[in-house]
Amino acid sequence: MRIGELAARAGTTTRTLRYYESRGLLAARRTGNGYRTYDEDDLRLLRQIKTLQDFGFELEETRPFVECLRAGHPAGDTCPASLAVYRRKLTELDALIGELTAVRAQVGEELARAEVMATARVPGGPEPRCELSPPTPAGQIPPHTAEHSAEETTQ
């Protein structure tokens, strides 16, 4: 099959295929008139690369899987080098999950602190104002402040 057909069947672009070829992940054979040709094995390689990239693998991390398929294995992840990449990726993901969990805890603490501060009233202090509230025209008391002023005068 030619490059356009392979790209369509793999769900990618001809530009991407030429890039993979330049990186040594895809090997094109040439016809007498110079056209690139590919076969079903090349489609398997591309599907393996696409699957791994969908999982967040960098292009270079797909190389052991591609080499495993080229060596004739039924799947790209049955070789020791591929398994090592899986292990490294899992370690990387565990570290990222740990970092995100720590950041989430900090954001939760900040939210809890902010909620306490937002509901706390300081006697005689100014009414807290949200910067997103519309501005109050000069000489007018904001509606939420007027309600509190009326409550204070009746006490």
Side-chain angles (χ1 to χ4, degrees):
M1 76 187 88
R2 293 197 13 208
I3 193 168
E5 182 184 350
L6 179 63
R9 288 182 64 191
T12 190
T13 65
T14 57
R15 182 178 182 181
T16 298
L17 298 184
R18 287 190 296 273
Y19 178 69
Y20 291 170
E21 184 180 346
S22 74
R23 301 294 306 263
L25 292 169
L26 186 63
R29 289 154 303 284
R30 300 279 182 160
T31 62
N33 58 4
Y35 290 122
R36 290 173 171 91
T37 62
Y38 303 93
D39 59 22
E40 293 298 319
D41 289 337
D42 297 312
L43 182 58
R44 279 185 50 215
L45 294 176
L46 289 172
R47 287 184 174 152
Q48 178 75 76
I49 292 169
K50 186 170 179 3
T51 297
L52 292 169
Q53 286 193 308
D54 288 347
F55 291 157
F57 285 68
E58 297 293 326
L59 185 59
E60 194 56 36
E61 291 174 312
T62 68
R63 188 172 301 280
F65 297 85
V66 169
E67 290 171 356
C68 189
L69 285 171
R70 279 192 185 142
H73 294 272
D77 59 3
T78 58
C79 296
S82 303
L83 297 173
V85 172
Y86 273 154
R87 286 185 195 100
R88 278 195 308 270
K89 184 56 83 173
L90 281 175
T91 300
E92 178 185 317
L93 290 170
D94 287 340
L96 290 171
I97 289 168
E99 290 174 25
L100 287 172
T101 300
V103 168
R104 186 186 190 292
Q106 287 178 315
V107 170
E109 290 170 10
E110 289 298 313
L111 173 61
R113 181 198 54 77
E115 287 176 336
V116 167
M117 295 298 290
T119 58
R121 295 245 170 137
V122 178
E127 180 72 23
R129 256 187 59 163
C130 178
E131 292 179 14
L132 300 176
S133 299
T136 305
Q140 290 185 359
I141 298 173
H144 62 279
T145 307
E147 292 169 7
H148 295 300
S149 297
E151 290 174 10
E152 291 171 4
T153 56
T154 58
Q155 292 178 357

